[in-house]
Amino acid sequence: MGVLSRNSVTILDVARLARCSITTVSRVLNNSSHKVNEETRKRVLEAIRELDYRPNALAKSLLSKRTMTIGAVVPDISNPYYAEVVRGIQDTADQEGYTVLIQNTDRSSDRLRRGIHILREKNVDGFIFTGGLHGMERIGELLCELKERTVVIGRLEEEFPSVRVDNEQASILAAEHLVQKGYHRIAYVSGALYSTTMVDRLEGFRKALKQFNLPETPGYIQEGKQTLESGYEAMRRLLSLPEKPEAILFANDQMLFGAMKALSERGLRVPKDFAVIGFDNVPLCSYFDPTITSIEIPKYELGQAATRLLFSLIRGENPQTPLWFPVRLIERESTSASKLRSMDRQKGKKLPTF
Amino acid sequence: MGVLSRNSVTILDVARLARCSITTVSRVLNNSSHKVNEETRKRVLEAIRELDYRPNALAKSLLSKRTMTIGAVVPDISNPYYAEVVRGIQDTADQEGYTVLIQNTDRSSDRLRRGIHILREKNVDGFIFTGGLHGMERIGELLCELKERTVVIGRLEEEFPSVRVDNEQASILAAEHLVQKGYHRIAYVSGALYSTTMVDRLEGFRKALKQFNLPETPGYIQEGKQTLESGYEAMRRLLSLPEKPEAILFANDQMLFGAMKALSERGLRVPKDFAVIGFDNVPLCSYFDPTITSIEIPKYELGQAATRLLFSLIRGENPQTPLWFPVRLIERESTSASKLRSMDRQKGKKLPTF
DNA sequence: TGAGCCATGGAAAAGGTTTTCCTTGCAATG
DNA sequence: CATTGCAAGGAAAACCTTTTCCATGGCTCA
């Protein structure tokens, strides 16, 4: 051990120390089928340990045309939703010895383009896209030879293999839940519509209005930006409407949390005065007061499945796609029968509900 | 344009098309000082465009021993604190044409070791560590030749250049604030003590107790795990003590949010029944109800400064270090004079306070 | 006329692997 | 004894660049 050499040690150094050729060292290293004498192998292994030799991945990649690296393009890593997806990707990649190179787009198509170029130049073995940009010019052209090694989480361009949840259906599910609870005047706060996810969720809400014969009141559909602040402002706009909604569906939990502030500022309470329901089911939902009903998206699993799908592509297989994942509604206090709850709270008797 | 070739095009292809040697192509590519005829240059550029040629970064790196990639080792990317630090790193690296390879350690020293090995194998040009592991065997040995191209955010091993905040002083600041507000029975909820940050914050709290002559009640210092759940449980333990604290300092905001649930379950209110104060000042602090007093850590700036420090190291400079960053206390409702606030809320007259 | 300089271009080495192909020596088989 | 086959090892090509060094031809200046 030891010998913390300043400049890195190469396979040649090992060969010299083990008194053999670099070919033999390479064979031991990759335990190739070509036989090597047990004694020689010992010497080589000893030399490797002695020098703390590690093969240079660059040289290896140059030859094998495999970098064991995949690129992930995400809109915003500090959003808990994508953070969880990325975890799924990283863990799964790691299991197969792959590394993940993450590019933030900040939801700008310029940065998206730039990110793709960087990743291509770094010779990634495949791409995972998430948080698709809606209405951006065709992405396929930028990918070139990597086009066949690209998977999408969600919906981007139809040609790509993808891993998805049915966001339209999810919105309908949420609306149905509210209807069953007896709410009719339902508002919707959307995220920015350059994301296909946001487009689908909004579309689903519109369909639900029709399906359940709900009124479509002007101003009941607000568009925001998937941030706390944007949710806060959207809520204030809703509160300034002449005829207030009874329940609000938010296209993501962040916006909902922001909106809660607008409510409490007015002394309004959930679920007594409004029912609210979110999207994504981030961890805070079960810790907020009141706990928040939300549509659970299997974030980690999406990342995991996308990565597995990509590996299957890399292996040259022809996997079935799209892969659909189920969503489910997690009911919590924010949509529970209102009168009952507010009494409980006053008596300070609430039990833990996660 | 076009010709979306299946297998990548090399500098040789360009040379052939432009009827010159690869040397010449390389020269126009890196516009070297060696003169090349204007007409030839035209032909080369035309060929490059025609074939959509992009130099292979792998081959370039193999030669130059520079990968234009830096490695970042973080405990948990889905923690909003580290997400923000990473943003600072990525943005800054990007400006200089560098890419960032992120390794999650999940706070396990095994995964830390593994992460370092992977990054070394990928030939990163430098390391940034954050969320130092306390009491782990010396990390320097794992870094070998990269030891001189490593910076730390926080405190890890004294020999490394670092970018820091004074966490001890920050805890004292928080305690002082509570004392000034008239609180004396102060509890502290710590994160897991394998993080040097958490060690320092706790140490600061202990010093503050002495400095302000506060009682050190048994059970008033709880240790948890920097998660919502852990904060919830710590709070429940505090609430079961015979003599309850008046104010609680949390070693991070996540734990504080978790604790809020434990409080509301008991019908207890902040700041009426308890004052609470957090650490990190994540965005939600200003949107929670009540808004949360927290110690602001310049997360993005820490990442930014660390990256700049690293670049300075890579350039062979000998920068001054450690670099200290200021913290400040952001006062919000969770520690404001209690009687007043609770009246406001009942009248529904509260104004927006961020 | 010849020496030296400049503009332009190419050949080849280097970087660290893996892999293909070849060599050597020895044992077994006829 | 001659032939075949196998175990073990090495040489060299290939991967794609950049960079150093050399070659050529034309021009200027003494």
Side-chain angles (χ1 to χ4, degrees), chain B residues 82-204:
Chain B
Y82 292 110
E84 197 59 25
V85 173
V86 165
R87 279 197 147 269
I89 296 175
Q90 277 190 329
D91 287 356
T92 314
D94 195 61
Q95 283 164 20
E96 307 264 333
Y98 276 77
T99 315
V100 182
L101 214 38
I102 301 164
Q103 290 286 320
N104 257 301
T105 68
D106 281 331
R107 305 182 193 277
S108 120
S109 58
D110 262 2
R111 296 205 46 175
L112 171 64
R113 214 186 316 272
R114 198 170 136 63
I116 292 176
H117 279 157
I118 290 174
L119 292 175
R120 271 192 62 203
E121 220 156 276
K122 297 274 179 189
N123 288 276
V124 295
D125 292 341
F127 272 114
I128 298 180
F129 282 91
T130 170
L133 288 187
H134 188 67
M136 139 125 204
E137 92 221 62
R138 315 300 286 171
I139 243 177
E141 301 196 351
L142 300 173
L143 297 175
C144 300
E145 74 284 358
L146 275 163
K147 210 161 47 170
E148 296 110 23
R149 290 155 163 235
T150 295
V151 315
V152 170
I153 299 179
R155 182 165 73 78
L156 190 59
E157 289 168 24
E158 287 312 325
E159 70 215 79
F160 292 119
S162 62
V163 176
R164 303 195 196 176
V165 299
D166 189 335
N167 279 298
E168 272 194 33
Q169 197 51 46
S171 279
I172 296 176
L173 192 66
E176 186 179 19
H177 174 73
L178 291 171
V179 169
Q180 278 174 356
K181 291 282 173 181
Y183 299 102
H184 280 83
R185 314 186 43 73
I186 305 178
Y188 181 81
V189 176
S190 169
L193 293 174
Y194 36 55
S195 152
T196 51
T197 304
M198 291 300 149
V199 171
D200 293 348
R201 289 180 185 176
L202 174 56
E203 187 55 30

Side-chain angles (χ1 to χ4, degrees), chain A residues 24-146:
Chain A
T24 306
V25 177
S26 177
R27 287 206 255 261
V28 174
L29 228 45
N30 312 313
N31 40 33
S32 103
S33 58
H34 192 109
K35 298 256 167 93
V36 20
N37 189 308
E38 201 46 44
E39 198 185 336
T40 320
R41 175 189 306 279
K42 282 260 172 58
R43 278 209 319 277
V44 169
L45 288 174
E46 177 55 32
I48 288 174
R49 201 149 14 119
E50 173 85 19
L51 299 171
D52 189 29
Y53 166 73
R54 311 188 140 260
N56 183 333
L58 247 41
K60 215 187 313 205
S61 295
L62 184 57
L63 203 49
S64 67
K65 309 225 177 233
R66 293 291 216 72
T67 52
M68 300 304 279
T69 303
I70 61 181
V73 178
V74 303
D76 176 10
I77 189 67
S78 46
N79 178 324
Y81 177 89
Y82 293 110
E84 196 58 25
V85 173
V86 165
R87 278 196 148 268
I89 296 175
Q90 277 190 329
D91 287 356
T92 314
D94 195 61
Q95 282 164 21
E96 308 264 335
Y98 276 77
T99 315
V100 183
L101 213 38
I102 300 164
Q103 290 286 321
N104 257 302
T105 67
D106 281 331
R107 306 181 193 277
S108 120
S109 58
D110 262 1
R111 296 205 46 174
L112 171 63
R113 215 187 315 273
R114 196 170 138 63
I116 292 176
H117 279 158
I118 291 175
L119 291 175
R120 271 192 63 203
E121 221 155 275
K122 297 274 176 187
N123 288 278
V124 294
D125 292 340
F127 271 115
I128 298 180
F129 282 91
T130 172
L133 288 187
H134 189 67
M136 139 124 203
E137 94 223 57
R138 315 300 286 172
I139 245 177
E141 301 197 349
L142 300 174
L143 296 175
C144 300
E145 74 283 359
L146 276 163

